[in-house]
Amino acid sequence: MSRHLGLRVKSLLVPLLSFLMALVPMVWIGMHALQDLERHFVQRYAEQYSRLHLQRMLTPLSRELALAKRFGDMAVTREWLADIDNQELKARFFREAEGFRQQFDGDDYYVVHHQTGQLYYNDGRLEESRDPRYSLDADSDEDAWYFRAMDSGAPFGVQVAYSRALNTTRVWVNVRVDGVDQPLGMVGGGLNFQHLLASSFDDQSQGVSSYVLDQQGLVMATAEGGDFQATDLSRDAGEMKTLSPLVEDADALQQMLTQARDGDEDVINSTLVWGGDEREVAVSYLPELDWWLVSAIDPYAMQLLEKRWLMPLLVALLSGLAIMLVAVVFTLQRLIVGPVQRLSRSAQALARGQYDVELDSDRGDEIGDLSRDFQRMADQVMAHTDELEERIRHRTAALESANHQMSEAKRQIDDSLECARALQQAILPRRDLTQCAGLHHGVLWNPRDAVGGDIFVFRNAGHGYLLGVIDCAGHGVPGALMTMLARAAFDNSVNQVGPEDPAAILTEMDRRIRRTLLGETESEAVTPHMDVGLVWVEADERRLTYAGAKLDLYVTDGSQLQVLAGGRRALAYKRPGEYRNQTLEVAPGWSCTLCSDGFLDQAGGKDGFGFGKRRFEAMLMTHAALTPSAQVAAFLQELEHFQGDQRQRDDITLLCFQPVAATSEPSAEATTHISHGLDEDTPWTS
């Protein structure tokens, strides 16, 4: 359809669509911004409302506490409590206390003499009495507040309680009075509980519900819809209600209460489903009383944001965009569409071979530049076309020649690698291992490439046999050449010192390799080091002798694992190392395993780490009950599962054997040789 629409129509549709595409996200963003703005105002209103009313409760409480401290700090208070029977001091005290009573919000005060437990109490309703109202009992639950306060050692405290003895509910402010070396007692006054809460919520707004909770989460007071109601504390706690029936997610509210009490923020707010509707809930904590103030605000009932200006703003925005659309369309038609149409007609004439057409080359803008460039382009098209075709013919011939040379080079390299692989496999003692009577064994030989730097060796001496693993530095062709040197050094060393002393063989191999590659210059350009592990097994005895250069021998029966550690230095690596023989008695069924570091270092798993020694040892013990060839198959399966899609890092060689079979019957174990490398389709077993 777009091919039938001219540039003039498109120049009209594009700004119009752009206008609509800009309008939709603008409206969407505006609506969401307005909602976010309303939510922000509601949240800030909830926070400020909670702070204000918390402060309105705290202000009279702070005043009452300061007044009670002055009451307790009077000299006559201390003197009389220290000498309770002194009538003159008693008279002076009650005269002074009367002035404080008139200042206390609850119009009352009390005094407790600590030594006798006598409580004196006066308020504006009862006839003044200078005798104790009653004596506190340490075994009474109702009087336990006093003894807890004195035992805590706190200089003052605040509590809300209903006194059955005094028949009144007060927010009691308690101040401890201490003598020189002992407590004298306690004084205090009480705030009118009903008046304290009512005066704090006398400006309750529509859409706001406020609740005062005590330390147990029980509702102390409710302010809702302009009405205020305080809980009668003379009732049992079981008769008092909580906020659980109102809020849908009670755990979320409890978390807010805990965060307000234990956290650093003075107000915690969140959006909760309250009474079936969504409410903005703010929670603040009054530590002096161990109270919470919970305010639930209906965002739809609060007119915090005036919206009358939205419609004029929307009309002005649409008008401005419409005017801009008309201006853009007119400008496009005048400056671009018309000149491009004329240039199109000229281009069509040039395509028909009419090179005498007149182009708008006199214009001083981009259209004029385009017309002049178009004319020059038409003149050069034919010349460039002929030149390009000639270059293509030459390049094609050159590429065909290079491809032929690369194919020939690849064929020669493949032939060389195939020959090298055959030569390297020829030095492996597969047939000697298989023909050794009574030797149960299995071998995993897996070069990373077509050839590798790992080999396994074997020498049958009649009265015993010597076998081992050699891991040369490098892999691929350099590693394979090193294995040839390693095999020659091994054979010559065994012939020189005999097969029964693995440590002496390692020392002789180290000397020969250093002499062959390093000479007397000790050049660091060549790194011929090798990791080697050699085991000598007596034919008639259950004993083996091991020596290694950075390779360990693992011996296990499935329940126990012994590791014979090799020397810390590789052969021909910097300074010569010292190698020692280790002898071990083995029981029937024990499996011995030698492994190059390619197995342990293979990356895999979800994190791409190496297989690792700990996982390797656990694997050996898990499969120790199998025959050596079955163990090798199980080891390969675990390695491939661990490796996953990771590339093989290094050459892998693993030799598993049982010096003493678990049964006396002869065994025809096979050496399992699995070669991946570059020839994964040709595994072999012998």
Side-chain angles (χ1 to χ4, degrees):
M1 179 179 178
S2 60
R3 296 187 58 184
H4 303 288
L5 297 179
L7 188 59
R8 187 182 301 275
V9 177
K10 292 180 181 179
S11 65
L12 176 62
L13 291 178
V14 170
L16 180 60
L17 292 176
S18 301
F19 168 77
L20 294 176
M21 292 176 63
L23 182 62
V24 171
M26 287 177 61
V27 172
W28 185 84
I29 293 173
M31 293 177 61
H32 281 268
L34 185 61
Q35 291 176 359
D36 292 342
L37 186 62
E38 287 181 330
R39 183 178 297 275
H40 173 77
F41 279 133
V42 171
Q43 291 176 350
R44 300 290 81 79
Y45 177 83
E47 292 177 4
Q48 297 304 323
Y49 178 88
S50 184
R51 291 192 181 98
L52 172 63
H53 289 79
L54 194 67
Q55 189 63 38
R56 293 184 67 175
M57 283 193 294
L58 184 61
T59 299
L61 184 62
S62 301
R63 173 189 174 278
E64 203 78 2
L65 180 60
L67 191 63
K69 287 182 178 179
R70 289 179 53 198
F71 186 30
D73 289 339
M74 287 194 311
V76 66
T77 302
R78 299 179 182 275
E79 292 172 357
W80 177 59
L81 290 177
D83 189 5
I84 195 69
D85 296 327
N86 191 318
Q87 297 300 319
E88 181 181 354
L89 292 175
K90 183 176 183 179
R92 286 177 52 199
F93 169 77
F94 278 100
R95 285 196 301 271
E96 294 290 339
E98 181 63 20
F100 277 93
R101 181 190 65 76
Q102 297 175 3
Q103 297 296 322
F104 280 122
D105 179 79
D107 199 24
D108 57 4
Y109 71 90
Y110 76 89
V111 181
V112 178
H113 183 241
H114 183 70
Q115 188 173 3
T116 62
Q118 295 175 344
L119 184 143
Y120 300 83
Y121 175 78
N122 283 304
D123 62 11
R125 297 174 301 165
L126 302 174
E127 182 179 354
E128 182 182 6
S129 173
R130 297 186 179 184
D131 296 324
R133 297 288 183 178
Y134 70 95
S135 296
L136 300 178
D137 185 2
D139 297 329
S140 173
D141 293 339
E142 188 171 347
D143 299 335
W145 64 271
Y146 171 76
F147 298 99
R148 286 196 303 267
M150 296 301 291
D151 292 341
S152 68
F156 61 87
V158 180
Q159 68 175 15
V160 181
Y162 168 76
S163 175
R164 297 185 185 277
L166 303 177
N167 192 24
T168 182
T169 300
R170 289 287 187 269
V171 181
W172 299 103
V173 179
N174 310 316
V175 177
R176 179 189 177 108
V177 181
D178 291 320
V180 177
D181 55 356
Q182 63 180 353
L184 300 178
M186 184 175 291
V187 301
L191 286 84
N192 188 302
F193 175 70
Q194 181 83 14
H195 178 262
L196 172 66
L197 296 177
S199 62
S200 300
F201 297 97
D202 55 3
D203 61 342
Q204 187 77 4
S205 303
Q206 291 294 329
V208 180
S209 300
S210 299
Y211 307 87
V212 179
L213 308 182
D214 68 358
Q215 63 272 18
Q216 298 178 355
L218 301 177
V219 177
M220 306 285 290
T222 303
E224 187 174 12
D227 297 330
F228 173 80
Q229 181 179 0
T231 302
D232 184 4
L233 298 184
S234 63
R235 298 184 300 174
D236 293 335
E239 301 178 7
M240 300 175 67
K241 63 180 182 179
T242 64
L243 295 180
S244 297
L246 293 177
V247 61
E248 181 176 294
D249 190 352
D251 293 338
L253 177 61
Q254 183 61 42
Q255 185 177 1
M256 294 176 64
L257 295 175
T258 303
Q259 188 175 358
R261 181 185 61 194
D262 302 336
D264 298 333
E265 300 181 15
D266 55 348
V267 179
I268 305 297
N269 59 342
S270 180
T271 302
L272 300 177
V273 177
W274 193 281
D277 298 323
E278 192 176 82
R279 296 287 186 269
E280 186 68 27
V281 179
V283 176
S284 54
Y285 178 65
L286 184 62
E288 291 79 2
L289 292 175
D290 199 10
W291 282 0
W292 285 280
L293 173 61
V294 180
S295 300
I297 300 175
D298 185 358
Y300 302 102
M302 305 296 298
Q303 295 294 329
L304 300 178
L305 183 62
E306 184 62 50
K307 299 181 180 179
R308 291 180 298 177
W309 50 271
L310 290 178
M311 187 56 66
L313 178 62
L314 182 60
V315 172
L317 178 62
L318 293 176
S319 301
L321 290 176
I323 294 174
M324 184 182 299
L325 175 63
V326 173
V328 169
V329 171
F330 177 78
T331 303
L332 289 175
Q333 292 288 335
R334 182 66 180 263
L335 298 180
I336 298 178
V337 176
V340 169
Q341 288 179 337
R342 292 192 294 271
L343 182 60
S344 176
R345 291 192 292 269
S346 300
Q348 293 175 1
L350 289 174
R352 295 192 297 268
Q354 301 176 4
Y355 298 103
D356 56 346
V357 296
E358 184 178 355
L359 301 175
D360 293 337
S361 57
D362 296 334
R363 291 173 59 103
D365 54 11
E366 287 78 1
I367 299 295
D369 294 339
L370 180 60
S371 300
R372 290 187 289 272
D373 294 339
F374 191 86
Q375 184 66 58
R376 287 193 296 270
M377 179 188 68
D379 296 338
Q380 297 177 3
V381 166
M382 185 60 67
H384 287 330
T385 301
D386 295 340
E387 182 181 356
L388 181 60
E389 290 178 351
E390 184 64 22
R391 288 183 178 180
I392 289 175
R393 285 192 294 271
H394 285 291
R395 291 289 178 87
T396 301
L399 289 174
E400 289 177 350
S401 176
N403 183 57
H404 177 73
Q405 295 175 5
M406 292 176 61
S407 299
E408 182 63 22
K410 182 179 182 303
R411 185 188 63 78
Q412 295 177 2
I413 292 174
D414 290 343
D415 292 344
S416 299
L417 288 176
E418 183 64 27
C419 180
R421 177 167 53 185
L423 291 174
Q424 186 175 41
Q425 291 181 0
I427 70 172
L428 298 176
R430 295 174 292 162
R431 183 175 303 173
D432 295 339
L433 273 170
T434 304
Q435 293 177 351
C436 181
L439 174 59
H440 294 243
H441 67 278
V443 177
L444 170 63
W445 185 68
N446 188 6
R448 193 195 73 171
D449 304 313
V451 291
D454 287 6
I455 59 172
F456 55 94
V457 294
F458 178 79
R459 177 70 66 89
N460 191 345
H463 63 287
Y465 51 86
L466 177 71
L467 70 169
V469 172
I470 302 177
D471 181 3
C472 301
H475 40 75
V477 174
L481 294 176
M482 288 293 297
T483 61
M484 298 294 182
L485 174 62
R487 177 58 188 270
F490 170 77
D491 290 339
N492 291 328
S493 299
V494 172
N495 294 335
Q496 180 72 26
V497 303
E500 299 88 352
D501 190 351
I505 296 173
L506 292 179
T507 302
E508 180 64 17
M509 288 180 65
D510 181 68
R511 185 188 68 80
R512 289 177 178 274
I513 296 171
R514 290 178 182 275
R515 184 184 64 184
T516 301
L517 291 182
L518 300 180
E520 298 179 356
T521 61
E522 296 293 336
S523 172
E524 296 184 357
V526 181
T527 56
H529 57 273
M530 303 174 186
D531 300 341
V532 185
L534 298 177
V535 183
W536 165 255
V537 180
E538 296 286 347
D540 299 330
E541 300 182 13
R542 298 178 179 179
R543 183 177 61 191
L544 59 81
T545 303
Y546 176 73
K550 294 197 70 176
L551 288 187
D552 301 336
L553 176 65
Y554 300 87
V555 184
T556 179
D557 65 346
S559 61
Q560 303 180 55
L561 175 66
Q562 297 191 38
V563 181
L564 303 184
R568 299 177 60 183
R569 296 184 184 277
L571 299 187
Y573 185 73
K574 295 182 179 179
R575 296 186 300 276
E578 295 181 0
Y579 311 104
R580 62 184 181 87
N581 289 325
Q582 303 176 63
T583 303
L584 179 66
E585 299 290 337
V586 292
W590 282 66
S591 296
C592 303
T593 304
L594 278 171
C595 179
S596 65
D597 58 3
F599 200 114
L600 303 177
D601 296 341
Q602 177 57 49
K606 63 178 182 179
D607 298 320
F609 296 151
F611 193 86
K613 187 174 182 180
R614 183 178 301 175
R615 184 182 285 106
F616 182 77
E617 293 177 353
M619 178 185 69
L620 294 180
M621 297 185 67
T622 300
H623 303 292
L626 302 176
T627 63
S629 60
Q631 290 185 50
V632 170
F635 298 162
L636 178 62
Q637 183 178 3
E638 286 203 24
L639 178 64
E640 291 178 341
H641 177 73
F642 175 80
Q643 179 178 349
D645 297 333
Q646 295 281 353
R647 182 178 179 271
Q648 183 174 337
R649 284 184 173 180
D650 198 359
D651 304 322
I652 297 174
T653 298
L654 183 145
L655 173 61
C656 178
F657 64 96
Q658 289 182 347
V660 182
T663 62
S664 59
E665 298 178 0
S667 174
E669 286 280 352
T671 299
T672 303
H673 171 203
I674 305 170
S675 173
H676 293 280
L678 298 179
D679 190 12
E680 299 182 354
D681 296 329
T682 59
W684 54 265
T685 301
S686 63

